[in-house]
Amino acid sequence: MEPFPKDGESAAAAEPSRGAAPSSGVVVQVREKKGPLRAAIPYMPFPVAVICLFLNTFVPGLGTFVSAFTVLCGARTDLPDRHMCCVFWLNIAAALIQILTAIVMVGWIMSIFWGMDMVILASKYS
């Protein structure tokens, strides 16, 4: 028996069906799959990320708009295969979505979470 299931197999398929308890030693790995907008969030210096969070909290989309320009200044993202201009425009699109949907509070909440993600990425980066 293999300790880890291969790609495409579930953890249950790798375990024999002897009525084993759920905590029988199978290791399950969870990886977050990010969409293109979410993966375009740049890894910024921590103070810049905090400023963007502050801006996003009080003016939805403004911090995301500012973060788009950090991509042009060389901030890396989780989209290494995309060109810098494409990632810049993805961040501009995210900022516009936040601004346009802030009227119904969805954009404001999204904007705050976006800023929190910026701070989390910045803390991992430094």
Side-chain angles (χ1 to χ4, degrees):
M1 184 174 94
E2 295 181 43
F4 299 101
K6 295 180 182 175
D7 288 355
E9 290 182 4
S10 68
E15 243 185 299
S17 58
R18 292 185 291 221
S23 62
S24 63
V26 175
V27 177
V28 178
Q29 184 177 13
V30 178
R31 280 186 238 149
E32 180 183 6
K33 183 178 180 190
K34 296 181 179 180
L37 279 181
R38 189 84 175 234
I41 298 174
Y43 289 84
M44 299 176 279
F46 191 77
V48 177
V50 170
I51 290 169
C52 288
L53 171 61
F54 180 79
L55 291 173
N56 271 351
T57 302
F58 295 103
V59 182
L62 184 60
T64 307
F65 185 76
V66 169
S67 75
F69 289 96
T70 65
V71 172
L72 296 178
C73 294
R76 69 178 187 86
T77 65
D78 289 332
L79 294 172
D81 54 336
R82 297 239 178 137
H83 193 267
M84 181 187 319
C85 289
C86 179
V87 177
F88 170 78
W89 286 112
L90 282 171
N91 278 293
I92 295 294
L96 288 175
I97 290 168
Q98 292 168 7
I99 291 167
L100 294 175
T101 59
I103 298 167
V104 291
M105 296 300 291
V106 173
W108 208 313
I109 294 167
M110 177 186 175
S111 184
I112 293 169
F113 278 110
W114 220 257
M116 289 169 46
D117 282 344
M118 290 178 202
V119 172
I120 290 167
L121 288 175
S123 66
K124 288 181 183 177
Y125 179 67
S126 56

